[in-house]
Amino acid sequence: MNRRRLFGLSAMAALAAAGCSRTDAGNGAAVQAGTDEIAEIVGPVSPISAFPTADEMNAFVDRLAAVDPGRVLVTEIGRSRAGQAIRNVRIGSGPRPILVLGSPHSNEPIGLATTRHLLGRLAADEALTSSLGATWNFVPLVDPDATRLGEGWFGGPFTRTNVARHFYRPPGDLQAEWTFPMNWRGTPIGRPLPETRALMTLIDSTRPALVASLHNADFSGGFAYVSGGDSDYWRSLTGHITGNGLPLYRGEPDAPGAAPLTEGIFGMPSFDQMCSAIAAGCADPLALSGGSSGHYAGQYGGAYLVSELPLWSDPRLADDSPGCESPDRSLGCCARRPPAADLPNSTRKVGVSRLSSIGGAVRSNAMHPGSWFHWIDWLLSRHRLSSRR
């Protein structure tokens, strides 16, 4: 399987995510958007009415393993800080190892639905799995503790108010995806969590040729970070996104040092490039909590894909006519928050809230749910986008 074929498989992961993110898509809608090869791999993607919870995901994996234990191998690769099992699901035995992270962040369940679909598809079709020449490793629940804390909205209703009430995402130094040990100019950065160490063990033992990390944004178009490829590959990714009726993200990348490759596709910066970009902006790279799974796996020379699909979207996101507010004012208002003393006790558990707005992805430390949807309301009203509560 050559590198172009490998990138095609990573595009498949993004395509499946696009299909799973659209509750209004008809059966097979994702299939129509891709190449014939990718369409064959993915198969029909049915519309969904809810995202799987941690218990539902574990039960699904157990059922697959019970039906065909010889082909679906489930192993425990570590334990969370609360003692929950972190499991890897292996399917196939080809020469190219592929690692799929189904829920790198607890508030991004599109990856859970994608993982469930791909696991079911590969487990059900042995001939297809064998033809791909890959050994698939899926980690459906990277951080089961955080997922359980924030899964209260996974079953709907899918309104901004309900999501905000049940929203949970831990602060950066407590996120498994961003606490891999790195080094910048001779200084070690990062204190791996137990969840991170579980992924490190899996990466070290499999040396994946591809890491596909399945993310989702809140409000935006679709976009992706890649570690390489060529213009054909990048255009293929954008074609999968737009072919599923989703607008492309047109803002700035939220990873420091990332470079745009084509519309909606960014080059994933190395850890050194991220640190250099942060330092150039007069911030301290040593304050980072670590690197990503892709940074860590990069030591083995594998490819990396981060797919980002929106929970909510609107065709007017593609409107590039002048707005009534400057980007600086919009971002500044999103970043403001009330003093911690003014927050209800029930909201102080939320460490980091992510808002992907029209002007770009905004990260604001310790933003609580009330301010999260308050500023979304403000942004939507100022940009004349309607969205029901």
Side-chain angles (χ1 to χ4, degrees):
M1 183 165 58
N2 61 28
R3 191 169 180 84
R4 180 178 293 276
R5 166 83 167 179
L6 183 63
F7 280 135
L9 290 174
S10 69
M12 175 273 298
L15 174 61
C20 286
S21 73
R22 294 187 61 213
T23 57
D24 63 336
N27 289 343
V31 174
Q32 301 303 318
T35 64
D36 291 341
E37 182 181 46
I38 293 175
E40 179 186 1
I41 296 170
V42 175
V45 180
S46 300
I48 60 174
S49 59
F51 295 108
T53 64
D55 284 343
E56 290 167 346
M57 197 72 219
N58 284 327
F60 176 79
V61 167
D62 290 339
R63 288 195 298 271
L64 288 182
V67 169
D68 197 344
R71 294 189 58 241
V72 181
L73 178 62
V74 181
T75 58
E76 183 178 310
I77 60 174
R79 289 267 169 173
S80 70
R81 282 158 286 165
Q84 298 185 67
I86 301 171
R87 304 196 296 175
N88 177 60
V89 186
R90 179 175 297 176
I91 299 180
S93 56
R96 288 295 186 105
I98 295 176
L99 173 59
V100 180
L101 302 181
S103 58
H105 294 128
S106 59
N107 62 305
E108 301 181 3
I110 288 179
L112 286 173
T114 304
T115 299
R116 181 177 60 185
H117 173 81
L118 293 179
L119 280 172
R121 175 74 172 155
L122 294 173
D125 194 335
E126 184 173 2
L128 171 64
T129 305
S130 299
S131 72
L132 298 178
T135 297
W136 295 84
N137 293 282
F138 292 86
V139 182
L141 294 164
V142 171
D143 187 348
D145 300 347
T147 299
R148 291 182 187 279
L149 286 173
E151 65 185 14
W153 63 271
F154 287 8
F158 297 109
T159 62
R160 289 173 287 131
T161 298
N162 190 52
V163 172
R165 283 182 175 144
H166 297 281
F167 183 94
Y168 179 72
R169 175 167 169 149
D173 60 348
L174 296 178
Q175 294 179 19
E177 176 66 294
W178 281 108
T179 48
F180 285 84
M182 294 287 126
N183 188 287
W184 188 62
R185 296 182 181 177
T187 301
I189 298 176
R191 295 181 179 179
L193 304 168
E195 296 86 349
T196 314
R197 292 194 179 279
L199 294 180
M200 291 167 59
T201 299
L202 181 61
I203 291 171
D204 290 339
S205 63
T206 60
R207 301 192 173 196
L210 165 69
V211 176
S213 191
L214 307 182
H215 295 247
N216 67 250
D218 299 310
F219 292 84
S220 75
F223 64 103
Y225 288 99
V226 298
S227 61
D230 56 24
S231 58
D232 289 339
Y233 168 54
W234 305 329
R235 285 195 296 267
S236 173
L237 287 176
T238 60
H240 298 325
I241 296 171
T242 58
N244 279 277
L246 295 172
L248 287 173
Y249 174 71
R250 299 173 182 271
E252 298 295 323
D254 59 355
L261 301 174
T262 191
E263 191 172 44
I265 308 298
F266 304 98
M268 185 66 187
S270 67
F271 188 74
D272 184 73
Q273 288 172 328
M274 286 185 65
C275 289
S276 297
I278 291 171
C282 300
D284 183 9
L286 300 182
L288 291 172
S289 55
S292 70
S293 56
H295 292 140
Y296 186 80
Q299 64 185 303
Y300 301 114
Y304 189 47
L305 168 76
V306 175
S307 54
E308 295 269 8
L309 282 302
L311 281 173
W312 291 283
S313 190
D314 189 294
R316 286 166 289 183
L317 284 169
D319 181 3
D320 57 3
S321 60
C324 57
E325 293 290 344
S326 69
D328 287 347
R329 176 168 166 74
S330 296
L331 298 180
C333 288
C334 286
R336 293 197 195 105
R337 60 182 174 88
D342 295 339
L343 305 184
N345 289 333
S346 61
T347 65
R348 294 184 190 175
K349 69 175 184 177
V350 179
V352 172
S353 173
R354 173 177 178 143
L355 165 65
S356 294
S357 69
I358 296 169
V362 181
R363 296 182 184 273
S364 56
N365 292 327
M367 182 178 284
H368 72 105
S371 60
W372 181 77
F373 70 77
H374 170 78
W375 289 118
I376 289 175
D377 282 338
W378 185 89
L379 269 177
L380 291 176
S381 67
R382 301 303 280 181
H383 288 277
R384 301 184 301 280
L385 296 179
S386 63
S387 181
R388 290 181 302 170
R389 278 190 170 183

